[in-house]
Amino acid sequence: MLNFNFYNPTEIFFGENQIAEITKAIPKEAKVLVVYGGGSIKRNGIYEQVSEALREFSWGEFAGVEPNPTYQTCMQAVSKIEQEDYNFILAVGGGSVIDGSKFIAAAANFSGESWDILSKGAEVTAALPIGVVLTLPATGSESNSFSVVSNSGTHEKLPFASVHVQPKFAVLDPQVMKTLPQRQLTNGVVDAFVHTMEQYLTYSVDAKVQDRFAEGLLMTLMEEGPKLVSEDVDYKVRANVMWSATMALNGLIGAGVPQDWATHMIGHEITAMYGLDHAQTLAIILPRMMTEQKEAKRGKLLQYAERVLGLDITDEDNAIASAIELTEQFFNSVHMKTRLSDYGIGEEAVNKITEQLERHGMTALGEQQVVTLEKSSKIIRESL
Ligand code: NZQ
Ligand code: ZN
């Protein structure tokens, strides 16, 4: 196992009717800015629950953070904070609202050009405290220190990370998933699955706890994912998927192990250029990444085939081919498409996305930095 420092200070309130707990979790003297998205929370009762819990607080709201949150929208929230003196952010939404809130929290305390946080990796040394009411399990953003923000002017989608934007608490009530459209449920299952793979499917460092924990998450998502997108969903299914998504990217399974993230980096460029949902891009790239990297990832691919998929691995090449095939079939089983052409994207995308990768310095991706531009280009071509 590699050396690591594991610190995750996000307090979790999990279960039905837990939104009311924010009354105790937010400091009494706080002036709270509630940040949310396009308004789904006004149609499903979450906004009312939040307002009720904030009855005794001084608070205001900022609406309109879009899926794949933009720098431009976030900066409007920063102006509001400056004008009205908020000192606590409550993000009520999915990964986009949470990521946007993280950037807002950092930019509100940043002296200098805030875009540099994303484009130049300028260090974030302080941020407003953030609390979260999660409405879409997928990204794990509610319990990690990462954020991804897009620039609508330049079609760039860039990440940043800072301990200062790690949420102080997150409410996870599986009942909020009732109003999620099937597309978002599908996205959530696939994103959580690929997060686990990015930290598991690398090379072994004999980290048994992390490996077995990751295998448990993959198996749970494969078992519960198809149930979640079927007609009859019960609370237990929602609860298991929601907790899996948080555990997949709260730092635990990634502690002390090599991490990949090449699929994500290529996926972000596809979203920035073509507007596909984040998880849609991952389902397209991952199977081709697995094939391209099958020698470098041989040991872990066999472990995945045997322990997660229950395959006989006597014929190793055959087992690896089946494991990749079954992974793509799993995506299809939760109604996720796995080809660029399924979204009307053709040949011209190969060069465009490759050029964007080069522009962002993504020229040696993966846990061993062996995914060169040439390989990325091949992966994209094979994903058409
Ligand atoms: O805008 P609202 O009205 O809230 O509607 C949203 C949005 O249209 C809707 N929705 C959310 N909760 C709902 C609901 N509709 C009905 N009922 C509910 N309970 O769902 C739509 C999509 O929401 P979004 O937040 O965009 O989805 P998701 O959670 O998948 O977040 C995706 C973003 O997170 C980033 C992605 O790149 C993307 O920008 N990621 C963040 C990560 C992180 N911070 O660790 C890691 C990930 O790999 C990822 O990159
Ligand atoms: Zn993701």
Side-chain angles (χ1 to χ4, degrees):
M1 209 184 308
L2 312 173
N3 291 355
F4 66 87
N5 177 349
F6 178 70
Y7 174 64
N8 182 332
T10 303
E11 182 177 10
I12 302 287
F13 298 98
F14 191 97
E16 286 181 274
N17 304 319
Q18 292 294 294
I19 293 176
E21 293 299 312
I22 65 177
T23 311
K24 289 180 235 154
I26 302 173
K28 288 282 163 274
E29 66 285 0
K31 184 169 181 190
V32 184
L33 181 64
V34 175
V35 176
Y36 60 96
S40 64
I41 63 164
K42 290 227 162 145
R43 294 186 293 274
N44 59 17
I46 297 174
Y47 181 86
E48 279 160 38
Q49 291 180 59
V50 168
S51 314
E52 176 58 27
L54 291 178
R55 212 154 28 99
E56 314 262 294
F57 287 82
S58 163
W59 65 284
E61 59 186 73
F62 181 85
V65 175
E66 55 281 86
N68 305 309
T70 65
Y71 168 72
Q72 286 77 4
T73 301
C74 291
M75 290 314 286
Q76 290 172 24
V78 173
S79 302
K80 189 176 170 78
I81 289 170
E82 280 162 7
Q83 282 158 22
E84 300 172 24
D85 272 337
Y86 294 98
N87 56 20
F88 194 98
I89 295 180
L90 183 66
V92 185
S96 295
V97 167
I98 306 168
D99 282 9
S101 296
K102 288 174 175 176
F103 184 74
I104 294 163
N109 275 23
F110 193 74
S111 53
E113 182 52 64
S114 305
W115 178 244
D116 290 352
I117 297 173
L118 298 157
S119 64
K120 297 187 183 158
E123 197 190 345
V124 172
T125 52
L128 294 183
I130 302 168
V132 171
V133 174
L134 182 67
T135 66
L136 195 179
T139 62
S141 185
E142 66 280 3
S143 183
N144 70 36
S145 54
F146 309 120
S147 164
V148 195
V149 173
S150 299
N151 189 321
S152 52
T154 58
H155 291 288
E156 285 170 293
K157 180 169 179 174
L158 299 169
F160 83 99
S162 165
V163 287
H164 300 288
V165 299
Q166 174 93 29
K168 303 290 174 216
F169 66 82
V171 178
L172 277 61
D173 178 350
Q175 297 291 37
V176 301
M177 297 165 70
K178 278 187 180 166
T179 56
L180 278 169
Q182 182 243 300
R183 168 172 157 192
Q184 301 304 343
L185 293 168
T186 296
N187 282 345
V189 170
V190 170
D191 197 19
F193 186 89
V194 180
H195 290 164
T196 311
M197 289 293 252
E198 299 269 31
Q199 299 161 90
Y200 168 76
L201 199 71
T202 56
Y203 56 87
S204 176
V205 290
D206 283 325
K208 298 201 170 192
V209 174
Q210 292 89 326
D211 276 8
R212 292 202 160 99
F213 207 132
E215 286 155 2
L217 293 175
L218 295 171
M219 290 169 86
T220 304
L221 289 163
M222 285 184 142
E223 209 169 283
E224 303 298 280
K227 293 184 205 162
L228 186 72
V229 297
S230 69
E231 299 288 302
D232 273 329
V233 187
D234 70 21
Y235 178 81
K236 285 178 275 182
V237 174
R238 293 194 179 104
N240 278 308
V241 171
M242 192 173 226
W243 190 227
S244 298
T246 299
M247 295 308 290
L249 198 50
N250 68 353
L252 194 59
I253 61 166
V257 299
Q259 302 193 13
D260 181 340
W261 300 108
T263 296
H264 266 72
M265 292 308 119
I266 300 175
H268 286 170
E269 301 297 358
I270 299 174
T271 297
M273 295 295 291
Y274 296 99
L276 266 62
D277 292 349
H278 171 63
Q280 292 172 341
T281 68
L282 306 178
I284 292 168
I285 298 298
L286 184 72
R288 264 50 72 185
M289 182 67 72
M290 290 165 86
T291 305
E292 176 60 35
Q293 288 296 289
K294 69 179 179 206
E295 287 316 319
K297 293 180 182 292
R298 192 171 185 86
K300 273 297 182 73
L301 270 168
L302 288 168
Q303 187 176 322
Y304 169 66
E306 186 171 43
R307 293 207 209 161
V308 176
L309 303 172
L311 298 176
D312 176 350
I313 58 164
T314 323
D315 179 342
E316 295 191 353
D317 289 338
N318 204 10
I320 289 173
S322 301
I324 298 171
E325 175 81 34
L326 287 170
T327 306
E328 189 160 359
Q329 278 175 21
F330 162 62
F331 293 152
N332 296 146
S333 79
V334 292
H335 312 314
M336 180 61 98
K337 297 177 173 137
T338 49
R339 292 278 165 186
L340 284 166
S341 52
D342 292 327
Y343 300 92
I345 298 173
E347 186 72 37
E348 77 292 345
V350 180
N351 285 343
K352 272 196 187 167
I353 301 165
T354 310
E355 278 160 25
Q356 284 286 86
L357 285 167
E358 183 167 26
R359 205 151 73 80
H360 294 139
M362 309 281 178
T363 51
L365 297 171
E367 69 276 8
Q368 305 195 71
Q369 287 95 49
V370 295
V371 184
T372 56
L373 269 189
E374 203 184 4
K375 286 188 179 156
S376 290
S377 187
K378 184 164 172 233
I379 288 165
I380 300 161
R381 182 173 302 284
E382 269 156 20
S383 301
L384 286 171

